[in-house]
Amino acid sequence: MDEKEKARHRGHRHRSRERFLEHGLEGFKDLDALEFLLQYAVPRRDTTPAAQALLARFGTLSDVLNASYEELRDTKDVGEGAAVLLKLIPAVSKRYMLALTPEKIQLKDVKEMGRFLLPYFMYEREELLLAVYLDNRDRVMRVDEISRGTVDGTAVLTRKIATTALMLHAAGVIVSHNHPSGEVDPSAEDLASTRMLGFALALVDVRLRDHIVVAGSRYLSLCEYGQFLEAGGDDEMPVKQLHDGEWYERLQVQNREKKDLQKE
């Protein structure tokens, strides 16, 4: 690149920076925004070819940011440094959104639950299962990632959630998982696992408040969906599946200890 060409690129970068500082990304097309962003990973080269290649491969800026590191790195004219920067953007954005949530936030209804949970699933490409443990005033005590990608099995996950609820002396639990496919409707497995968890938590006097299914920016409450099955009734199969001796007895002991503490 000759001196004249270098000067032209410096001028273009300066104008892009000034435009952003004055107006934000307003008026930037996806190509402009991506080209501007890549300038901070590729300081001495025209970033237009890389931006064009990314949009040609993935479609939109959001699709670019949702792509994997390997997909980004292997795109023509991108490379490792730019791929890392592009993966850093959604990660920082997610952390920022989660940091805005106050501690001990109270989740009284589905709208508050959905607004609280959506940031946890931002940019997730695989299925993620979360458990939100609540105190007796519906305030968040802790949020745990229960599984990611490959699921260990409903019974294993149910035991994990119930055991933690007892350890924390939680009064309620909200579970939530995402559908990376974008379809928000619950599956038969979602309904079955919800029922089993409801039974398990009822055994230790913890209420399953809801199961929220997230798909992109949408969410669905199984409680409002009309398919939220409370523990009880004639079908005792989920309870029988959970009675495996040692684990069940340990839960009962922990539950009695919890009640004794509450009486003190």
Side-chain angles (χ1 to χ4, degrees):
M1 184 184 297
D2 59 28
E3 289 303 319
K4 186 175 180 180
E5 189 70 8
K6 289 180 182 179
R8 187 180 71 81
H9 282 299
R10 284 195 299 269
H12 175 65
R13 291 180 179 224
H14 177 75
R15 287 190 297 273
S16 296
R17 184 169 59 251
E18 292 302 310
R19 179 183 170 192
F20 169 73
L21 291 174
E22 188 171 350
H23 302 291
L25 287 178
E26 184 180 349
F28 278 69
K29 296 179 180 179
D30 279 3
L31 178 62
D32 300 328
L34 195 50
E35 180 187 342
F36 176 54
L37 178 61
L38 290 172
Q39 291 173 6
Y40 291 91
V42 186
R44 295 182 181 83
R45 183 159 50 88
D46 183 6
T47 56
T48 301
Q52 290 174 333
L54 287 165
L55 291 176
R57 179 173 183 180
F58 300 107
T60 66
L61 179 59
S62 61
D63 291 329
V64 170
L65 295 178
N66 277 323
S68 70
Y69 165 75
E70 290 77 16
E71 290 172 328
L72 295 169
R73 180 198 61 198
D74 295 340
T75 301
K76 184 181 179 182
D77 296 316
V78 177
E80 293 183 0
V84 170
L85 176 64
L86 291 170
K87 292 309 298 176
L88 182 62
I89 299 302
V92 171
S93 176
K94 180 175 181 177
R95 176 167 290 194
Y96 167 73
M97 292 300 296
L98 290 173
L100 295 178
T101 304
E103 292 185 10
K104 288 283 186 181
I105 187 172
Q106 193 174 36
L107 304 178
K108 301 185 297 295
D109 55 43
V110 172
K111 187 175 181 179
E112 290 178 348
M113 293 177 194
R115 189 164 52 234
F116 173 80
L117 287 163
L118 279 177
Y120 284 92
F121 297 100
M122 288 174 62
Y123 306 107
E124 289 292 345
R125 291 164 53 88
E126 56 188 352
E127 190 164 310
L128 175 66
L129 174 66
L130 299 178
V132 183
Y133 301 94
L134 307 173
D135 65 15
N136 57 9
R137 295 176 59 186
D138 293 329
R139 296 177 302 185
V140 174
M141 303 173 70
R142 195 166 99 184
V143 180
D144 280 356
E145 180 179 308
I146 303 301
S147 69
R148 174 183 291 273
T150 304
V151 177
D152 295 330
T154 301
V156 173
L157 301 180
T158 295
R159 295 170 189 177
K160 185 184 297 186
I161 294 170
T163 301
T164 302
L166 269 176
M167 180 188 71
L168 295 175
H169 306 299
V173 174
I174 300 165
V175 292
S176 182
H177 80 283
N178 61 322
H179 285 173
S181 66
E183 294 295 329
V184 75
D185 289 339
S187 65
E189 184 180 351
D190 293 339
L191 300 178
S193 62
T194 301
R195 187 168 198 185
M196 178 177 282
L197 180 58
F199 271 100
L201 291 175
L203 291 173
V204 292
D205 297 324
V206 177
R207 182 185 174 198
L208 178 59
R209 284 289 312 282
D210 211 330
H211 185 163
I212 305 294
V213 181
V214 175
S217 60
R218 298 182 298 155
Y219 58 87
L220 180 143
S221 155
L222 291 197
C223 184
E224 288 192 344
Y225 186 75
Q227 297 295 322
F228 192 77
L229 302 173
E230 297 287 349
D234 296 330
D235 184 3
E236 295 299 323
M237 181 60 69
V239 178
K240 291 178 182 178
Q241 291 175 350
L242 290 166
H243 285 197
D244 68 346
E246 182 182 347
W247 175 79
Y248 177 68
E249 291 301 323
R250 187 164 62 249
L251 272 186
Q252 294 303 301
V253 171
Q254 290 174 323
N255 190 34
R256 286 193 291 271
E257 292 174 350
K258 172 186 171 183
K259 289 182 177 179
D260 291 340
L261 285 173
Q262 289 172 342
K263 291 178 182 177
E264 294 177 359

